[in-house]
Amino acid sequence: MNDANSKDANPAAADKAEFEGRNNNRSRTPTSEEFLAFIGGQWNDPAPSAGAVALEPNLREAAKFAAERRAKVAQRFAGHLVVIAAGALKTRSNDTEYRYRPHSAFAHLTGWGSATQPDSVLVIDAREAGVQGDESHRQATCTLFFRPSVGHGTKEFFANPTIGEFWVGHRPNLEQISDLLGINTRDIADFETFISGADNVIDLGFEEVLEFVSELRLVKDEFEIAEMRKAVAASVKGFENVVRALPTAAGHARGERIVETAFFSAARVHGNDLGYDTIAAAGPNACILHWEVNNGPANRGDLILVDAGVELDSLYTADVTRTLPISGTYSEAQREVYNVVLEAADAVFAVAKPGIKFRELHATAMAVIAKHTAAWGLLPISAEESMQPDKQFHRRFMVHGTSHHLGLDVHDCSQARREMSLDGELKPGMIFTIEPGLYFHPNDQLAPDRFQGIGIRIEDDVLVTETGVENLTAALPRKIEDIEKWMLSLQG
Ligand code: GLY
Ligand code: MN
Ligand code: MN
């Protein structure tokens, strides 16, 4: 499925392909004038709702919020022209690419998500914006450069496998996107000339820009909160698929893959994709924190830790973990560990409210983990001593953090300054995870025999309210009795 005739649309790629040989074993479309005239004629125009535009049903709604976010960028960087690039397609191998996903800052500031055209660029021109306080941003001009649809009579249309609409489907035109996103649009072909004549240009390569657009996402707006609820709802469907697949997975040599793909079907049917690669870790694999190989068996009697999240077309993602008994029933030892992790999570839920420091979330979970690992006799020091910053011996059994922001990225706002994130305070509208765990690696000589090979994490997504947090993932049971009942009801 490759053809290298598209020099005018993608000259570099076409030259490279020609130079390399070398696609001699691939068919090429004829280049004669007669053929070009024949293939270029007698086509109907696509319906305006076709393809890429139709993929994202709530673009207009997203656009209203994106305009407010752009105004904040313009205000912060008055006097500058800010360039936010969506990014290019990434090669997987040879002439195949990964599914395209724009930079999260681009999606946030345009509202354009999964249907973003590769190589698009947003320009927020705040050079004329004065410094007259809050109104200054009104003078900024925003322009979205992208590669618009081309006519059927072009070689690009039929001969360019990377971007030609005959190959990849309909692309929107400048008017459609301008109308949907409420922003001026221009052909990306004009961008080089435009930017080479511009002064005071800054982009995501500038630390201040990267920090600011990351911090802009710390408190979610109404649109983002609604999208997060939908991402969670789609992920709940994914976990229901997982539970239904467990009887098939049990005893299968690649039971973990059966679980992984059961979740994936929900991601593609109800959303755009996964927000990150699924962890489907059965038995001792659950002690490997980022076990994404998922090629192990799922044995009855073991647990399976499933950490997965659906990303919507708007690109907002959930991040959820449940640790389920493959047989449907937890053993005594599994219950003992599970209930400690649940206690740690519940302790975090109890303290989380506006005004507390983000880092207190982790400290709260750690106090519970320290208390129980000490009581089990696993620490050479007391729980209190272990809580000292330079001790933290209990971390042997939970080396990861307890919470991270969540939104367009699974680890959202990761470029925010420390004083705004880890050392910052919770504010209404923030969305983050609560995800304590305990992991007794099978090779860990300190792990009690009855716990060896047990790894448990419980991960919920929460929204900070005026008085505390709302558990967005409450539809997925967390308590042992509730999980067992839920599994029974789905497996019938
Ligand atoms: N799924 C990655 C995490 O929980 O942070
Ligand atoms: Mn997480
Ligand atoms: Mn996770």
Side-chain angles (χ1 to χ4, degrees):
M1 281 237 307
N2 188 17
D3 200 327
N5 284 343
S6 53
K7 268 194 134 163
D8 46 1
N10 195 348
D15 283 347
K16 187 159 174 277
E18 267 173 30
F19 171 73
E20 286 173 352
R22 291 121 144 127
N23 284 320
N24 288 339
N25 56 348
R26 306 285 172 97
S27 76
R28 293 190 177 204
T29 37
T31 51
S32 69
E33 289 305 319
E34 295 109 290
F35 178 76
L36 296 186
F38 179 65
I39 195 171
Q42 293 174 286
W43 296 93
N44 291 328
D45 286 336
S49 61
V53 177
L55 272 175
E56 291 188 66
N58 54 354
L59 276 186
R60 271 185 222 282
E61 179 70 1
K64 283 192 294 189
F65 290 89
E68 289 173 27
R69 300 169 199 151
R70 287 195 297 276
K72 289 182 184 154
V73 173
Q75 197 175 1
R76 165 66 179 80
F77 296 106
H80 293 87
L81 182 146
V82 188
V83 174
I84 307 285
L89 276 167
K90 289 193 178 61
T91 300
R92 182 171 185 273
S93 180
N94 188 29
D95 59 354
T96 55
E97 280 93 28
Y98 289 105
R99 195 189 325 283
Y100 181 71
R101 188 195 189 281
H103 193 290
S104 294
F106 175 91
H108 192 235
L109 294 170
T110 58
W112 212 2
S114 63
T116 296
Q117 294 300 301
D119 300 314
S120 298
V121 177
L122 170 68
V123 169
I124 302 171
D125 187 354
R127 287 175 299 178
E128 297 303 315
V131 280
Q132 312 105 332
D134 289 350
E135 298 303 308
S136 62
H137 64 265
R138 294 193 188 284
Q139 296 169 32
T141 310
C142 298
T143 310
L144 177 53
F145 290 84
F146 72 96
R147 188 188 299 275
S149 176
V150 292
H152 299 108
T154 63
K155 273 205 269 177
E156 176 182 310
F157 174 69
F158 61 85
N160 186 321
T162 310
I163 57 169
E165 290 173 79
F166 208 99
W167 294 78
V168 300
H170 176 59
R171 299 205 312 266
N173 62 35
L174 295 174
E175 294 72 30
Q176 284 172 319
I177 289 300
S178 180
D179 174 47
L180 286 166
L181 295 181
I183 189 168
N184 302 328
T185 50
R186 281 182 71 178
D187 193 321
I188 191 69
D190 300 340
F191 183 70
E192 273 315 313
T193 312
F194 168 84
I195 205 68
S196 61
D199 54 3
N200 290 341
V201 175
I202 52 177
D203 59 23
L204 291 170
F206 286 69
E207 203 175 321
E208 293 90 337
V209 178
L210 202 56
E211 274 172 9
F212 186 79
V213 297
S214 207
E215 290 168 9
L216 204 51
R217 310 208 310 256
L218 282 166
V219 172
K220 270 59 181 174
D221 59 34
E222 196 186 312
F223 176 83
E224 296 182 288
I225 293 169
E227 288 302 293
M228 289 301 293
R229 289 186 194 283
K230 289 184 221 163
V232 166
S235 302
V236 168
K237 290 188 194 298
F239 274 88
E240 289 170 353
N241 283 357
V242 163
V243 171
R244 288 192 202 97
L246 276 178
T248 311
H252 192 285
R254 285 192 151 198
E256 292 177 340
R257 289 282 169 94
I258 291 176
V259 167
E260 175 193 317
T261 51
F263 189 91
F264 184 61
S265 72
R268 289 295 286 160
V269 171
H270 302 292
N272 173 53
D273 206 335
L274 299 166
Y276 53 94
D277 284 339
T278 295
I279 297 170
N285 286 340
C287 302
I288 301 166
L289 298 178
H290 280 177
W291 176 255
E292 294 162 354
V293 183
N294 303 342
N295 63 356
N299 297 323
R300 285 178 72 83
D302 280 344
L303 300 174
I304 185 160
L305 184 158
V306 184
D307 184 341
V310 175
E311 174 191 86
L312 301 179
D313 282 318
S314 60
L315 306 180
Y316 287 86
T317 187
D319 177 12
V320 190
T321 307
R322 288 295 183 264
T323 310
L324 307 170
I326 293 162
S327 68
T329 315
Y330 293 85
S331 72
E332 274 313 308
Q334 291 163 354
R335 276 164 200 266
E336 201 177 339
V337 181
Y338 190 97
N339 282 328
V340 169
V341 177
L342 188 64
E343 184 183 328
D346 286 346
V348 181
F349 272 91
V351 299
K353 60 170 192 257
I356 76 152
K357 288 253 167 67
F358 199 81
R359 61 166 62 258
E360 285 177 52
L361 302 170
H362 182 58
T364 302
M366 288 306 92
V368 176
I369 298 296
K371 179 178 84 177
H372 285 280
T373 48
W376 281 324
L378 308 183
L379 309 181
I381 54 178
S382 70
E384 293 69 33
E385 252 185 291
S386 192
M387 285 301 285
Q388 289 170 16
D390 59 340
K391 296 283 197 312
Q392 302 281 309
F393 284 7
H394 53 278
R395 295 292 301 275
R396 176 180 176 122
F397 305 101
M398 180 187 152
V399 298
H400 61 77
T402 302
S403 294
H404 57 81
H405 288 275
L406 182 65
L408 283 168
D409 283 315
V410 61
H411 295 161
D412 211 32
C413 315
S414 59
Q415 312 297 324
R417 285 163 297 164
R418 209 174 165 86
E419 63 266 31
M420 297 291 287
S421 49
L422 204 54
D423 292 336
E425 290 183 355
L426 302 195
K427 295 198 177 83
M430 285 182 169
I431 292 180
F432 57 83
T433 65
I434 297 178
E435 51 175 309
L438 266 176
Y439 310 89
F440 295 104
H441 200 279
N443 297 338
D444 185 344
Q445 293 175 3
L446 294 186
D449 287 351
R450 68 188 191 289
F451 293 165
Q452 265 178 3
I454 295 180
I456 289 173
R457 179 162 66 255
I458 307 168
E459 178 172 28
D460 286 290
D461 302 341
V462 304
L463 165 69
V464 182
T465 63
E466 295 298 327
T467 54
V469 289
E470 176 190 341
N471 185 3
L472 298 175
T473 36
L476 282 179
R478 303 165 68 245
K479 290 190 193 142
I480 282 186
E481 321 72 87
D482 297 342
I483 289 174
E484 289 178 349
K485 271 191 222 142
W486 170 67
M487 290 181 69
L488 198 61
S489 74
L490 287 168
Q491 291 172 352

